[in-house]
Amino acid sequence: MRATRAVSLSARVFACAVVGAIGLLAASGPARAKDPQIASATGVSLSSMESGAISRTNEARARRGLAPLAADASLMNGARRQAAWMARNRNLSHGQGVTENIAMGQSSAAEAVSDWMRSDGHRANILGSHTRIGVAMARAADGTVYWCQQFR
């Protein structure tokens, strides 16, 4: 029983750390995107998971002759808020007022984008006429991963 409590407490602490880090990233001032292959429309700092999801999304677009999407600070903040909300509430649901892909359970950016590309509606969002993107992942206390992509 103690081991279960310790794991549960560790998972909660980790989830709080992830949500806190997302909040810090969202509140921080503009910085350049870390991956030079990802254009930043307004200067935004990206985690490796976020950068990976944007890179995979842009690779899917490039295979179809489409221009890459630029990371957008406003969309990044929106995606981070939605992913954190879904993880905190353990509720896979869309936000309002923005074109959005959401997912749950994928352990990597490659897996999330691959799953989205196998879905007609999600693929249409990725391959749409958008120019900007925001993406985030957050982990629930039980370890479940939630993903959010937003487009403009």
Side-chain angles (χ1 to χ4, degrees):
M1 190 71 148
R2 282 188 189 190
T4 303
R5 284 188 188 141
V7 170
S8 179
L9 179 58
S10 294
R12 282 190 213 123
V13 169
F14 180 75
C16 289
V18 168
V19 170
I22 289 170
L24 286 174
L25 283 171
S28 66
R32 297 277 313 157
K34 293 176 186 175
D35 184 342
Q37 299 298 323
I38 299 173
S40 178
T42 56
V44 64
S45 178
L46 302 173
S47 74
S48 61
M49 291 293 247
E50 293 165 345
S51 177
I54 294 172
S55 292
R56 297 288 181 156
T57 297
N58 282 336
E59 288 169 11
R61 290 176 60 83
R63 284 191 294 274
R64 287 152 179 89
L66 299 171
L69 301 171
D72 179 270
S74 175
L75 292 173
M76 290 300 299
N77 289 338
R80 288 168 177 160
R81 280 190 303 274
Q82 185 64 19
W85 182 90
M86 290 188 299
R88 185 174 51 254
N89 292 288
R90 297 202 33 125
N91 184 338
L92 184 67
S93 62
H94 286 282
Q96 296 180 347
V98 66
T99 301
E100 182 176 77
N101 287 344
I102 57 174
M104 177 183 77
Q106 296 80 359
S107 61
S108 69
E111 187 180 356
V113 174
S114 178
D115 284 354
W116 283 326
M117 288 301 291
R118 284 194 291 269
S119 160
D120 291 341
H122 294 107
R123 184 175 52 253
N125 288 341
I126 288 172
L127 302 178
S129 61
H130 313 290
T131 59
R132 298 180 182 207
I133 188 172
V135 65
M137 69 78 79
R139 193 175 301 275
D142 70 350
T144 304
V145 177
Y146 291 82
W147 293 89
C148 181
Q149 271 186 330
Q150 295 184 349
F151 305 91
R152 182 174 333 129

mmCIF file of all heavy atoms in Angstrom, residues 11 14-16 18-19 22 49 83-84 87-88 106-107 137-146:
data_model
loop_
_atom_site.group_PDB
_atom_site.id
_atom_site.type_symbol
_atom_site.label_atom_id
_atom_site.label_comp_id
_atom_site.label_asym_id
_atom_site.label_seq_id
_atom_site.Cartn_x
_atom_site.Cartn_y
_atom_site.Cartn_z
ATOM 1 N N ALA A 11 3.510 10.871 -8.903
ATOM 2 C CA ALA A 11 2.800 11.244 -10.137
ATOM 3 C C ALA A 11 2.138 12.605 -9.971
ATOM 4 O O ALA A 11 2.168 13.432 -10.878
ATOM 5 C CB ALA A 11 1.753 10.186 -10.486
ATOM 6 N N PHE A 14 4.832 15.254 -10.097
ATOM 7 C CA PHE A 14 5.277 15.423 -11.469
ATOM 8 C C PHE A 14 4.260 16.211 -12.284
ATOM 9 O O PHE A 14 4.613 17.117 -13.026
ATOM 10 C CB PHE A 14 5.540 14.069 -12.122
ATOM 11 C CG PHE A 14 5.994 14.183 -13.544
ATOM 12 C CD1 PHE A 14 7.280 14.594 -13.849
ATOM 13 C CD2 PHE A 14 5.124 13.920 -14.591
ATOM 14 C CE1 PHE A 14 7.688 14.722 -15.159
ATOM 15 C CE2 PHE A 14 5.529 14.043 -15.897
ATOM 16 C CZ PHE A 14 6.817 14.442 -16.184
ATOM 17 N N ALA A 15 2.982 15.867 -12.150
ATOM 18 C CA ALA A 15 1.935 16.577 -12.891
ATOM 19 C C ALA A 15 1.911 18.047 -12.507
ATOM 20 O O ALA A 15 1.774 18.917 -13.363
ATOM 21 C CB ALA A 15 0.575 15.944 -12.637
ATOM 22 N N CYS A 16 2.062 18.336 -11.214
ATOM 23 C CA CYS A 16 2.099 19.734 -10.776
ATOM 24 C C CYS A 16 3.304 20.446 -11.365
ATOM 25 O O CYS A 16 3.221 21.604 -11.773
ATOM 26 C CB CYS A 16 2.125 19.825 -9.253
ATOM 27 S SG CYS A 16 0.558 19.374 -8.496
ATOM 28 N N VAL A 18 4.787 19.714 -14.198
ATOM 29 C CA VAL A 18 4.529 19.919 -15.634
ATOM 30 C C VAL A 18 3.604 21.118 -15.830
ATOM 31 O O VAL A 18 3.870 21.998 -16.634
ATOM 32 C CB VAL A 18 3.935 18.651 -16.277
ATOM 33 C CG1 VAL A 18 3.395 18.943 -17.671
ATOM 34 C CG2 VAL A 18 4.978 17.568 -16.339
ATOM 35 N N VAL A 19 2.510 21.142 -15.065
ATOM 36 C CA VAL A 19 1.563 22.250 -15.197
ATOM 37 C C VAL A 19 2.243 23.560 -14.819
ATOM 38 O O VAL A 19 2.078 24.578 -15.487
ATOM 39 C CB VAL A 19 0.290 21.996 -14.347
ATOM 40 C CG1 VAL A 19 -0.584 23.226 -14.283
ATOM 41 C CG2 VAL A 19 -0.480 20.833 -14.925
ATOM 42 N N ILE A 22 4.524 24.594 -17.625
ATOM 43 C CA ILE A 22 3.728 25.129 -18.739
ATOM 44 C C ILE A 22 3.330 26.565 -18.431
ATOM 45 O O ILE A 22 3.433 27.442 -19.274
ATOM 46 C CB ILE A 22 2.496 24.244 -19.014
ATOM 47 C CG1 ILE A 22 2.942 22.924 -19.637
ATOM 48 C CG2 ILE A 22 1.499 24.936 -19.921
ATOM 49 C CD1 ILE A 22 1.858 21.885 -19.739
ATOM 50 N N MET A 49 9.168 18.511 -26.683
ATOM 51 C CA MET A 49 7.936 17.854 -27.133
ATOM 52 C C MET A 49 7.162 18.759 -28.087
ATOM 53 O O MET A 49 6.642 18.306 -29.102
ATOM 54 C CB MET A 49 7.058 17.466 -25.946
ATOM 55 C CG MET A 49 7.654 16.355 -25.113
ATOM 56 S SD MET A 49 7.716 14.806 -26.013
ATOM 57 C CE MET A 49 6.550 13.869 -25.075
ATOM 58 N N ALA A 83 -4.196 21.973 -22.942
ATOM 59 C CA ALA A 83 -3.590 20.695 -22.570
ATOM 60 C C ALA A 83 -3.528 20.554 -21.051
ATOM 61 O O ALA A 83 -3.844 19.488 -20.507
ATOM 62 C CB ALA A 83 -2.193 20.571 -23.181
ATOM 63 N N ALA A 84 -3.141 21.615 -20.363
ATOM 64 C CA ALA A 84 -3.076 21.579 -18.895
ATOM 65 C C ALA A 84 -4.468 21.370 -18.298
ATOM 66 O O ALA A 84 -4.637 20.594 -17.354
ATOM 67 C CB ALA A 84 -2.449 22.864 -18.361
ATOM 68 N N ALA A 87 -5.492 17.721 -18.803
ATOM 69 C CA ALA A 87 -4.754 16.845 -17.892
ATOM 70 C C ALA A 87 -5.257 16.994 -16.456
ATOM 71 O O ALA A 87 -5.464 16.001 -15.757
ATOM 72 C CB ALA A 87 -3.265 17.149 -17.965
ATOM 73 N N ARG A 88 -5.456 18.205 -16.038
ATOM 74 C CA ARG A 88 -5.926 18.472 -14.670
ATOM 75 C C ARG A 88 -7.316 17.882 -14.437
ATOM 76 O O ARG A 88 -7.604 17.324 -13.390
ATOM 77 C CB ARG A 88 -5.921 19.976 -14.411
ATOM 78 C CG ARG A 88 -6.262 20.393 -13.000
ATOM 79 C CD ARG A 88 -6.101 21.893 -12.766
ATOM 80 N NE ARG A 88 -6.788 22.714 -13.750
ATOM 81 C CZ ARG A 88 -6.194 23.405 -14.725
ATOM 82 N NH1 ARG A 88 -4.880 23.390 -14.857
ATOM 83 N NH2 ARG A 88 -6.899 24.122 -15.572
ATOM 84 N N GLN A 106 -0.937 9.327 -26.314
ATOM 85 C CA GLN A 106 0.260 9.141 -27.137
ATOM 86 C C GLN A 106 1.494 9.549 -26.321
ATOM 87 O O GLN A 106 1.524 10.613 -25.718
ATOM 88 C CB GLN A 106 0.190 9.975 -28.418
ATOM 89 C CG GLN A 106 -0.928 9.567 -29.342
ATOM 90 C CD GLN A 106 -2.287 10.106 -28.958
ATOM 91 O OE1 GLN A 106 -2.446 10.806 -27.957
ATOM 92 N NE2 GLN A 106 -3.305 9.781 -29.733
ATOM 93 N N SER A 107 2.530 8.713 -26.360
ATOM 94 C CA SER A 107 3.706 8.967 -25.529
ATOM 95 C C SER A 107 4.745 9.864 -26.193
ATOM 96 O O SER A 107 5.698 10.276 -25.536
ATOM 97 C CB SER A 107 4.353 7.644 -25.129
ATOM 98 O OG SER A 107 4.765 6.931 -26.278
ATOM 99 N N MET A 137 1.720 19.591 -24.739
ATOM 100 C CA MET A 137 1.333 18.329 -24.118
ATOM 101 C C MET A 137 1.399 18.537 -22.619
ATOM 102 O O MET A 137 2.166 19.351 -22.130
ATOM 103 C CB MET A 137 2.220 17.166 -24.561
ATOM 104 C CG MET A 137 3.665 17.172 -24.075
ATOM 105 S SD MET A 137 3.942 16.650 -22.377
ATOM 106 C CE MET A 137 3.867 14.908 -22.508
ATOM 107 N N ALA A 138 0.531 17.829 -21.916
ATOM 108 C CA ALA A 138 0.535 17.871 -20.454
ATOM 109 C C ALA A 138 0.218 16.470 -19.954
ATOM 110 O O ALA A 138 -0.491 15.708 -20.617
ATOM 111 C CB ALA A 138 -0.497 18.873 -19.936
ATOM 112 N N ARG A 139 0.739 16.159 -18.791
ATOM 113 C CA ARG A 139 0.563 14.832 -18.208
ATOM 114 C C ARG A 139 -0.334 14.922 -16.977
ATOM 115 O O ARG A 139 -0.097 15.740 -16.092
ATOM 116 C CB ARG A 139 1.925 14.269 -17.829
ATOM 117 C CG ARG A 139 1.944 12.803 -17.504
ATOM 118 C CD ARG A 139 3.368 12.306 -17.247
ATOM 119 N NE ARG A 139 4.261 12.500 -18.354
ATOM 120 C CZ ARG A 139 4.411 11.684 -19.394
ATOM 121 N NH1 ARG A 139 3.670 10.597 -19.465
ATOM 122 N NH2 ARG A 139 5.277 11.945 -20.350
ATOM 123 N N ALA A 140 -1.356 14.079 -16.934
ATOM 124 C CA ALA A 140 -2.261 14.013 -15.781
ATOM 125 C C ALA A 140 -1.547 13.341 -14.613
ATOM 126 O O ALA A 140 -0.493 12.715 -14.786
ATOM 127 C CB ALA A 140 -3.522 13.233 -16.143
ATOM 128 N N ALA A 141 -2.123 13.449 -13.434
ATOM 129 C CA ALA A 141 -1.531 12.863 -12.229
ATOM 130 C C ALA A 141 -1.310 11.354 -12.377
ATOM 131 O O ALA A 141 -0.365 10.814 -11.819
ATOM 132 C CB ALA A 141 -2.417 13.148 -11.021
ATOM 133 N N ASP A 142 -2.150 10.683 -13.154
ATOM 134 C CA ASP A 142 -1.998 9.234 -13.342
ATOM 135 C C ASP A 142 -1.026 8.888 -14.468
ATOM 136 O O ASP A 142 -0.830 7.734 -14.790
ATOM 137 C CB ASP A 142 -3.353 8.577 -13.600
ATOM 138 C CG ASP A 142 -3.934 8.928 -14.961
ATOM 139 O OD1 ASP A 142 -3.406 9.821 -15.665
ATOM 140 O OD2 ASP A 142 -4.955 8.310 -15.342
ATOM 141 N N GLY A 143 -0.428 9.917 -15.083
ATOM 142 C CA GLY A 143 0.547 9.701 -16.148
ATOM 143 C C GLY A 143 -0.006 9.805 -17.557
ATOM 144 O O GLY A 143 0.757 9.796 -18.519
ATOM 145 N N THR A 144 -1.319 9.896 -17.718
ATOM 146 C CA THR A 144 -1.918 10.015 -19.049
ATOM 147 C C THR A 144 -1.487 11.326 -19.690
ATOM 148 O O THR A 144 -1.517 12.378 -19.061
ATOM 149 C CB THR A 144 -3.451 9.960 -18.966
ATOM 150 O OG1 THR A 144 -3.838 8.748 -18.312
ATOM 151 C CG2 THR A 144 -4.079 10.036 -20.350
ATOM 152 N N VAL A 145 -1.092 11.241 -20.955
ATOM 153 C CA VAL A 145 -0.618 12.418 -21.691
ATOM 154 C C VAL A 145 -1.752 12.988 -22.533
ATOM 155 O O VAL A 145 -2.484 12.253 -23.199
ATOM 156 C CB VAL A 145 0.580 12.049 -22.596
ATOM 157 C CG1 VAL A 145 1.026 13.236 -23.425
ATOM 158 C CG2 VAL A 145 1.727 11.516 -21.754
ATOM 159 N N TYR A 146 -1.901 14.296 -22.499
ATOM 160 C CA TYR A 146 -2.890 15.025 -23.304
ATOM 161 C C TYR A 146 -2.151 15.973 -24.246
ATOM 162 O O TYR A 146 -1.207 16.640 -23.840
ATOM 163 C CB TYR A 146 -3.838 15.824 -22.403
ATOM 164 C CG TYR A 146 -4.756 14.951 -21.588
ATOM 165 C CD1 TYR A 146 -4.323 14.367 -20.402
ATOM 166 C CD2 TYR A 146 -6.057 14.688 -22.011
ATOM 167 C CE1 TYR A 146 -5.159 13.547 -19.661
ATOM 168 C CE2 TYR A 146 -6.899 13.874 -21.278
ATOM 169 C CZ TYR A 146 -6.441 13.306 -20.101
ATOM 170 O OH TYR A 146 -7.272 12.496 -19.373
#
